[in-house]
Amino acid sequence: MLRWTVHLEGGPRRVNHAAVAVGHKVYSFGGYCSGEDYETLRQIDVHVFNTVSLRWMKLPPVRITGLECAREVPYMRYGHTAVLLDDTIYLWGGRNDTEGACNVLYAFDVNTHRWYTPRTSGTVPGARDGHSACVLGKAMYIFGGYEQLADCFSNDIHKLDTTTMVWALINARGTPARWRDFHSATIIGTKMFVFGGRADRLGPFHSNNEVYCNKIRVFDTKTNCCNTPVVNSLCPKWC
């Protein structure tokens, strides 16, 4: 039978971007592509993929009037995270070749496509990239990453309560996960499962003794306790 197919070309060429599913659409924010300019503080680009029509669309840049409005829109970056809560996408972290890493929280309204910077308080995480972010209820959890100021890998867990916009550093009990960046973290039930990522054999500082983690670490958000579950099958290869 003869039939038409749809080309999926036209999307961004990216690595270390952040993407969020909103209904039948996927919103992709920023990321790194060789040959592109990451020194000029241009606006982050937003591409939208429609899973019904199988078409990409790039949103037009936000019209900016004045310095204060410019601060409401994140600059182009990579190694950041994005999560969806209700009708708002929260973008955090990442770095640019000029500004370095960032710890400003940006919010993107999926209905109006407008950016703003919510006012937050509490123990704000240090600027970093390569961290993970996931959502449980009205809270966003940030784990790990590479901290710019300390110049080392992190294994901290931070929580943002989006009802109060207060950050908190979690005092996790048990055996903490290894310091790492560019891992994944997934919420199932009330537990956060951390897997993979780049670490250093000797500790939090980068000493060119890189390892890539292959153990599952579990953080229980009810008890604030970390543990390593017993996995009864072959794990992905440790590198």
Side-chain angles (χ1 to χ4, degrees):
M1 178 184 294
L2 298 177
R3 62 178 63 186
W4 289 98
T5 60
V6 178
H7 278 289
L8 301 186
E9 298 175 355
R13 295 183 298 130
R14 291 287 185 268
V15 66
N16 294 346
H17 56 289
V20 175
V22 182
H24 66 279
K25 295 180 180 179
V26 178
Y27 286 74
S28 177
F29 299 88
Y32 185 87
C33 180
S34 58
E36 290 195 6
D37 178 14
Y38 293 91
E39 294 184 355
T40 304
L41 294 185
R42 56 193 171 97
Q43 291 184 20
I44 195 169
D45 56 24
V46 183
H47 291 80
V48 183
F49 181 67
N50 188 316
T51 62
V52 175
S53 65
L54 301 181
R55 299 293 188 185
W56 281 99
M57 176 184 67
K58 183 178 180 179
L59 298 185
V62 177
R63 297 184 62 182
I64 295 176
T65 55
L67 181 60
E68 289 302 318
C69 290
R71 291 173 179 166
E72 297 292 307
V73 182
Y75 53 77
M76 192 63 176
R77 65 190 61 202
Y78 51 91
H80 51 288
T81 54
V83 299
L84 176 69
L85 283 97
D86 298 323
D87 292 328
T88 303
I89 295 173
Y90 292 101
L91 185 148
W92 191 85
R95 67 171 49 251
N96 179 284
D97 292 347
T98 296
E99 291 293 303
C102 177
N103 71 340
V104 176
L105 179 71
Y106 293 92
F108 179 82
D109 189 309
V110 299
N111 296 312
T112 63
H113 291 172
R114 302 293 297 178
W115 288 101
Y116 61 97
T117 51
R119 180 172 296 181
T120 64
S121 60
T123 307
V124 180
R128 70 192 67 197
D129 70 319
H131 56 286
S132 60
C134 48
V135 169
L136 177 60
K138 298 294 184 179
M140 176 176 72
Y141 288 85
I142 296 289
F143 172 75
Y146 198 90
E147 292 194 61
Q148 177 169 291
L149 186 61
D151 194 21
C152 67
F153 297 105
S154 172
N155 66 349
D156 290 339
I157 302 173
H158 287 82
K159 175 184 177 181
L160 175 67
D161 185 335
T162 62
T163 60
T164 61
M165 302 310 292
V166 175
W167 285 100
L169 173 63
I170 302 296
N171 183 20
R173 298 182 289 114
T175 304
R178 181 187 289 265
W179 309 270
R180 68 186 75 189
D181 64 1
F182 295 108
H183 52 281
S184 65
T186 306
I187 291 285
I188 300 177
T190 59
K191 296 179 179 179
M192 180 173 70
F193 293 79
V194 175
F195 177 74
R198 178 186 64 162
D200 192 282
R201 295 181 188 276
L202 304 182
F205 295 97
H206 199 292
S207 66
N208 294 320
N209 286 280
E210 290 184 354
V211 293
Y212 294 87
C213 305
N214 72 339
K215 293 183 179 179
I216 293 282
R217 303 305 301 268
V218 180
F219 171 69
D220 191 320
T221 62
K222 283 191 172 182
T223 63
N224 286 346
C225 188
C226 295
N227 66 80
T228 304
V230 176
V231 179
N232 298 316
S233 61
L234 291 176
C235 298
K237 185 180 178 181
W238 173 286
C239 298

